[in-house]
């Protein structure tokens, strides 16, 4: 609670670039509490262990209970606490709960010292450690550290990769992450518990199973489960197993069928390692703590390496195959696999599956004749595909897909084509800005397919436009496959939109700021808060205009209401308007543009500016296709227009050409009853439950979607 206040007061964090800033601030904010809380696990194992023969069961049970606590905290925070309380409130409540727990622990444990009946009254009793030798124990404890490090590295890499795998089928949302985290933790908890039982059973004197072979087999099965994921994925997608289920069940079904098995098997590793590493009760706390620390270090390495390197450099499928390979080869560190025929057979099958997987992934792009390009980055799986008409013929259009959602439809040869109607509204406001300035300054947050920037720079080349796109891969694909070229007045910056607005922009810079960073169900919450709106207003010139693109339903949606109310905290309440370029259907989810400015929205002024700019465009030397593109707003490719119509469009008499006007304001009397219904939510940096506000939209969308429709 204190550190963010210090950061905000000093502003020192602004000198750190975005990528290192994330781990640095996370380190400063999360490490102290995480460090102290992590002391509890080895202490609990030490206090709960009566003798070394029960090491596996005790360690496995405590790991399982700890994981279930994480699972409960995940659901409780995501669904109840975050939508109800501010961040600082949750911090203070967590601190209070820990203080109460500490007092309760002192009270309950103060008088629990056990004194044997044979001891003299008042004589302190001290338990003597029970030493038991384990012929299969690790001769060097560092081997145990390496094993749990690699196992946890694989587990965390699987968890991060799971989000990218599921994004292809169900997108990225609160439901997706909840399903992933829930299933992963459930698998790990069950694996911890059963792994502890197995560890003690195979380490008994009468057991005929070599405990090292048991651990090695567990690691090979973990690799096998990861390879089997590909088979399951092929079966589930082809059969449409989960297509008819509700969204929550669908996400859980996908996650469970793909990732539960490998996470369950990986959960069995740590208790077995601890059992093989603990020489006696006296050392159990020390050994368990170190093993747990190295396990966590592996998870940290998996987080950073997978998030920053593996997924973007090798892709999600090769990353999964790499995890399988690492886990399988780790078994060789535990036991001589080649001396056990069944284990060697399983080992060979898994390695064969990994090899075949790498071969098949190299041929994957050739299987789809419409696939033009595919690129995996730190943010998306990006695909460019050829569009076809209802008869299966190529149209010349290309579709940009980010994860599983079509983000843009682009004609690389025609920058005058706009597929999405809300971009016509954005262009009309740019023409309005041009009426007041010979070189309007525009900021666009979210590049996407770069359809609007291309269109704007072609139609109004005097514009000075900055485009902030967080993913360099999106820009790369747009340049290589979607017709984006260099324009004199166009500057592209690759960074987070909020960081750019708050830290890189001088006050009073822009005539128009367009935020188009939403992606269906993925809405960056930090770009929706009052603090961000204040930074945007500061970056605008006096009476400059801010346009917020949002996808929602006016009737049952909650996010647009929160965005509307939040903007009223920064701008005069009467100067916020909901605009649309489509036929209005209150109960349907569609794209809206929320207008905010220090001056009220005047549709007639905007319409006059649009007409004036169109007339100015009709001058000698202007390409007929460009003029026609402006007149028709991309409703049809100029190449398909008869020559006579193009000549008419180029005529100085603009009255012969019908100029469409797209921007419509939704009357306040229609939206006010909707705004008044329900609580008035203001989004702030302390309270921004955007995912929760989108939850009903997610449910409604899947209820109304016909089978097989994206």
């Amino acid at each position: 609670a204190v550190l963010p206040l210090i950061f905000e007061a000093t502003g020192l964090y602004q000198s750190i670039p975005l990528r290192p800033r994330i781990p640095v601030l996370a380190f400063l904010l999360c490490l102290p509490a995480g460090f102290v809380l992590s002391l509890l696990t080895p202490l609990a194992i030490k206090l709960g262990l009566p003798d070394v023969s029960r090491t596996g069961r005790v360690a496995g049970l405590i790991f399982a209970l700890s994981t279930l606590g994480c699972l409960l905290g995940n659901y409780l925070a995501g669904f109840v606490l975050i939508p109800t309380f501010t961040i600082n409130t949750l911090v203070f409540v967590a601190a209070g709960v820990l203080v109460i727990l500490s007092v309760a622990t002192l009270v309950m444990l103060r008088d629990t010292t056990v004194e044997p009946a044979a001891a003299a009254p008042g004589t302190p009793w001290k338990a003597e450690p029970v030493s038991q030798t384990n012929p299969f124990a690790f001769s060097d404890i560092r081997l145990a550290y390496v094993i749990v490090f690699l196992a946890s590295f694989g587990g965390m890499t699987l968890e991060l990769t799971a989000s990218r795998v599921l994004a292809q089928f169900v997108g990225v949302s609160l439901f997706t992450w909840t399903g992933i985290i829930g299933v992963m933790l459930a698998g790990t908890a069950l694996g911890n518990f059963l792994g502890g039982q197995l560890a003690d059973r195979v380490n008994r004197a009468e057991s005929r199973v070599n405990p090292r072979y048991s651990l090695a087999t567990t690691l090979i099965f973990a690799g096998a489960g990861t390879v089997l994921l590909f088979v399951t994925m092929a079966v589930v997608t082809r059969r449409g197993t989960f297509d008819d289920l509700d969204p929550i069940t669908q996400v859980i079904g996908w996650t469970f069928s793909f990732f539960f098995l490998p996470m369950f098997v990986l959960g069995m590793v740590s208790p077995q390692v601890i059992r093989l590493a603990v020489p006696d009760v006296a050392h159990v706390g020390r050994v368990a703590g170190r093993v747990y620390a190295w396990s966590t270090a592996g998870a940290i390495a998996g987080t950073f390496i997978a998030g920053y390197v593996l997924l973007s450099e090798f892709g999600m499928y090769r990353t999964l195959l790499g995890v399988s390979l690492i886990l399988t080869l780790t078994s060789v560190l535990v036991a001589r696999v080649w001396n056990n025929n069944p284990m060697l057979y399983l080992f060979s099958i898994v390695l064969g599956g990994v090899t075949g997987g790498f071969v098949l992934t190299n041929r994957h792009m050739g299987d789809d004749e419409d696939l033009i390009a595919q690129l995996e980055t730190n943010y998306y799986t990006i695909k460019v595909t050829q569009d076809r008409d209802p008869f299966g013929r190529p149209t010349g259009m290309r579709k940009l897909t980010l994860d599983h959602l079509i983000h843009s439809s682009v004609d690389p040869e025609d920058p005058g084509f706009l597929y999405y109607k809300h971009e016509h509204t954005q262009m009309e406001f740019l023409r309005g800005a041009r009426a007041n300035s010979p070189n309007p300054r525009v900021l666009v947050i979210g590049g996407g397919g770069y359809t609007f920037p291309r269109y704007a720079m072609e139609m109004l080349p005097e514009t000075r436009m900055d485009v902030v796109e967080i993913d360099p891969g999106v820009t790369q694909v747009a340049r290589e496959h979607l017709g984006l070229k260099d324009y004199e007045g166009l500057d592209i910056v690759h960074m987070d939109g909020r960081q750019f607005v708050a830290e890189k922009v001088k006050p009073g810079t822009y005539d128009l700021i367009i935020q188009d960073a939403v992606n269906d169900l993925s809405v960056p919450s930090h770009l929706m808060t009052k603090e961000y709106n204040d930074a945007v207003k500061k970056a605008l010139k006096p009476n400059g205009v801010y346009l917020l693109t949002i996808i929602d339903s006016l009737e049952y949606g909650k996010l647009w209401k929160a965005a509307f109310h939040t903007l009223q905290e920064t701008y005069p309440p009467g100067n916020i308007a909901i605009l649309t370029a489509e036929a209005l259907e209150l109960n349907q989810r569609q794209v809206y543009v929320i207008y905010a400015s220090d001056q009220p929205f005047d549709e007639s002024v905007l319409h006059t500016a649009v007409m004036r700019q169109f007339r100015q465009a009709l001058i000698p030397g202007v390409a007929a296709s460009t003029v026609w593109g402006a007149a028709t707003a991309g409703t049809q490719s100029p190449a398909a227009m008869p020559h006579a119509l193009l000549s008419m469009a180029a005529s100085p008499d603009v009255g012969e050409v019908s100029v469409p006007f797209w921007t419509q304001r939704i009357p306040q009397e229609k939206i006010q009853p909707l705004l008044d219904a329900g609580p008035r939510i203001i989004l702030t940096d302390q309270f921004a439950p955007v995912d929760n506000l989108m939850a009903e939209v997610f449910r409604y969308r899947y209820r109304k979607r016909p089978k097989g429709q994206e």
Side-chain angles (χ1 to χ4, degrees):
V2 175
L3 281 177
L5 297 177
I6 297 175
F7 294 152
E8 185 176 357
T10 61
L12 293 177
Y13 68 93
Q14 296 182 358
S15 61
I16 309 174
L18 179 62
R19 179 166 289 190
R21 181 186 299 182
I22 294 173
V24 167
L25 295 186
F27 181 91
L28 294 175
L29 286 167
C30 304
L31 182 71
F35 167 74
V36 177
L37 287 172
S38 68
L39 299 175
L40 294 174
T41 300
L43 285 171
I45 294 175
K46 170 70 174 177
L47 292 173
L49 188 63
D51 61 74
V52 74
S53 66
R54 300 185 185 181
T55 301
R57 278 169 285 181
V58 171
L61 178 60
I62 289 176
F63 284 153
L65 292 174
S66 174
T67 304
L68 289 176
C70 292
L71 182 61
L72 177 62
N74 171 59
Y75 287 129
L76 189 62
F79 289 123
V80 180
L81 299 179
I82 291 177
T84 308
F85 303 103
T86 64
I87 294 175
N88 278 353
T89 300
L90 295 179
V91 171
F92 292 134
V93 168
V97 169
L98 291 172
V99 170
I100 294 172
L101 180 61
S102 68
V103 173
T105 303
L106 288 172
V107 171
M108 288 187 296
L109 299 183
R110 183 173 54 186
D111 298 321
T112 56
T113 303
V114 179
E115 296 186 3
T123 303
W125 175 74
K126 181 179 179 182
E128 294 294 332
V130 180
S131 297
Q132 293 184 5
T133 18
N134 187 343
F136 302 106
F138 297 119
S139 57
D140 190 338
I141 191 63
R142 290 175 293 185
L143 182 59
Y145 303 157
V146 172
I147 294 169
V148 294
F149 180 93
L150 293 175
S152 294
F153 176 91
M156 187 53 67
T157 302
L158 279 176
E159 184 167 339
L160 286 178
T161 309
S163 67
R164 301 300 299 275
V165 173
L166 264 67
Q168 302 176 96
F169 309 110
V170 291
V172 178
S173 67
L174 172 69
F175 292 100
T176 311
W177 274 111
T178 302
I180 291 171
I181 294 173
V183 170
M184 294 288 195
L185 290 177
T188 303
L190 183 60
N192 289 156
F193 179 76
L194 294 181
Q197 301 290 324
L198 175 64
D200 286 344
R201 183 177 296 276
V202 298
N203 277 277
R204 290 176 180 174
E206 64 272 18
S207 174
R208 297 182 180 180
V209 179
N210 186 327
R212 288 200 172 207
Y213 281 159
S214 172
L215 177 57
T217 303
T218 300
L219 290 166
I220 296 174
F221 269 116
T226 307
V227 173
L228 188 63
L229 182 155
F230 291 89
V231 179
T232 307
M233 189 183 304
V235 173
V236 169
T237 51
R238 291 181 181 180
R239 293 175 60 89
T241 307
F242 306 116
D243 289 352
D244 296 328
L245 301 177
D246 66 89
I248 297 178
T249 308
Q250 190 176 114
V251 170
I252 293 176
W254 283 104
T255 312
F256 186 90
S257 61
F258 291 172
F259 294 99
F260 180 84
L261 178 60
M263 291 303 295
F264 163 71
V265 180
L266 281 175
M268 300 176 67
V269 172
S270 290
Q272 294 186 71
V273 171
I274 291 176
R275 183 64 178 86
L276 286 171
V278 173
D280 53 61
V281 174
H283 294 85
V284 67
R286 187 182 315 168
V287 171
R290 290 178 179 177
V291 169
Y292 196 61
W294 279 98
S295 174
T296 306
I300 294 171
T303 300
F304 287 114
I305 295 176
Y308 289 151
V309 180
L310 296 179
L311 290 172
S312 57
E313 292 295 327
F314 302 102
M316 55 186 169
Y317 295 130
R318 292 186 181 92
T319 298
L320 289 173
L321 292 169
V323 169
S324 178
L325 181 62
I326 290 173
L327 295 175
T328 305
L329 293 179
T330 303
S331 65
V332 179
L333 299 177
V334 180
R336 297 178 179 179
V337 174
W338 52 89
N339 288 340
N340 185 291
N341 288 337
M343 190 182 302
L344 179 61
Y345 183 68
L346 178 62
F347 182 87
S348 303
I349 290 177
V350 176
L351 288 186
V354 171
T355 304
F358 277 115
V359 173
L360 291 176
T361 54
N362 289 331
R363 298 179 179 177
H364 177 68
M365 286 191 60
D367 297 338
D368 187 352
E369 60 177 342
D370 289 332
L371 184 62
I372 297 172
Q374 180 171 325
L375 178 67
E376 291 197 47
T377 70
N378 291 327
Y379 301 93
Y380 304 106
T381 297
I382 305 172
K383 293 182 181 180
V384 178
T385 54
Q386 172 67 54
D387 185 38
R388 294 182 180 273
D389 64 19
F391 301 100
R393 297 170 298 195
T395 64
M397 299 288 299
R398 293 182 177 181
K399 294 180 179 180
L400 173 69
T401 303
L402 303 182
D403 291 332
H404 86 304
L405 297 168
I406 297 175
H407 194 277
S408 301
S409 291
V410 182
D411 187 341
E413 304 301 324
D414 180 13
F417 178 87
L418 292 180
Y419 180 80
Y420 291 109
K421 295 181 176 61
H422 73 277
E423 292 179 312
H424 303 312
T425 293
Q426 296 169 353
M427 187 62 194
E428 288 174 350
F429 275 94
L430 176 55
R431 293 189 183 279
R434 174 63 181 85
N436 299 319
S437 173
N439 301 106
R441 289 294 306 274
V442 182
L443 171 63
V444 178
I445 300 173
Y450 283 87
T451 51
F452 173 74
R454 290 175 65 216
Y455 186 95
M457 298 310 298
E458 290 282 347
M459 300 304 167
L460 292 177
E462 62 271 28
T463 301
R464 297 296 174 260
M465 178 180 291
D466 296 326
V467 178
V468 179
E469 168 57 53
I470 195 171
D471 191 350
V474 171
T475 304
Q476 175 188 336
V477 167
R479 290 188 183 279
E480 295 176 356
H481 304 286
L482 301 179
L484 176 63
K485 62 182 183 180
D486 293 329
Y487 294 95
E488 183 178 350
L490 177 64
D491 290 321
I492 298 174
V493 182
H494 296 119
M495 65 190 307
D496 179 76
R498 175 156 181 173
Q499 185 188 23
F500 182 83
V501 171
E503 303 173 23
K504 304 297 183 181
V505 179
K506 295 180 180 179
T509 298
Y510 295 105
D511 300 280
L512 176 65
I513 295 180
I514 299 171
Q515 182 173 306
D516 202 359
V518 298
N519 181 22
D520 195 55
L521 295 172
S522 178
V523 180
S525 59
H526 66 297
L527 300 183
M528 302 289 291
T529 65
K530 179 187 181 300
E531 291 83 352
Y532 174 71
N533 294 341
D534 292 342
V536 168
K537 182 178 180 179
K538 186 178 179 181
L540 285 170
K541 294 179 180 178
N543 295 328
V545 174
Y546 175 46
L547 299 180
L548 168 62
T549 304
I550 196 164
I551 308 174
D552 209 350
S553 165
L554 293 183
E555 183 177 30
Y556 62 85
K558 298 178 180 179
L559 183 61
W560 76 270
K561 298 179 186 179
F564 193 99
H565 291 312
T566 303
L567 284 168
Q568 288 181 325
E569 298 293 308
T570 301
Y571 298 91
N575 293 1
I576 315 297
I578 304 288
L579 311 176
T580 182
E582 306 178 45
L584 178 61
E585 296 185 38
L586 293 178
N587 64 339
Q588 294 297 319
R589 190 165 178 261
Q590 60 189 68
V591 181
Y592 297 97
V593 175
I594 303 182
Y595 166 96
S597 175
D598 279 338
Q599 63 179 355
F601 174 68
D602 190 325
E603 187 172 335
S604 63
V605 172
L606 181 63
H607 185 250
T608 301
V610 170
M611 294 299 297
R612 183 190 310 164
Q613 288 302 315
F614 182 76
R615 287 188 175 93
Q616 291 176 357
L618 295 178
I619 58 177
V622 176
S625 61
T626 300
V627 176
W628 182 259
T632 61
T635 55
Q636 190 172 356
S637 172
M641 295 297 170
H643 180 73
L645 290 178
L646 291 176
S647 299
M648 181 184 69
S651 169
D653 186 5
V654 72
E656 297 181 31
V657 180
S658 175
V659 182
F661 184 72
W662 295 85
T663 303
Q664 311 168 55
R665 176 174 185 168
I666 301 175
Q668 190 68 22
E669 57 268 21
K670 282 191 175 182
I671 66 172
Q672 194 60 49
L674 300 173
L675 288 170
D676 294 337
R680 187 175 185 270
I681 297 176
I682 306 298
L683 302 174
T684 67
D685 289 348
Q686 279 284 321
F687 182 74
V690 168
D691 283 336
N692 303 83
L693 296 173
M694 295 291 292
E696 186 58 32
V697 168
F698 190 98
R699 295 189 186 98
Y700 187 89
R701 173 190 177 193
Y702 277 84
R703 283 200 302 265
K704 296 296 182 180
R705 183 184 63 182
K707 183 178 180 180
Q709 178 179 320
E710 289 290 332

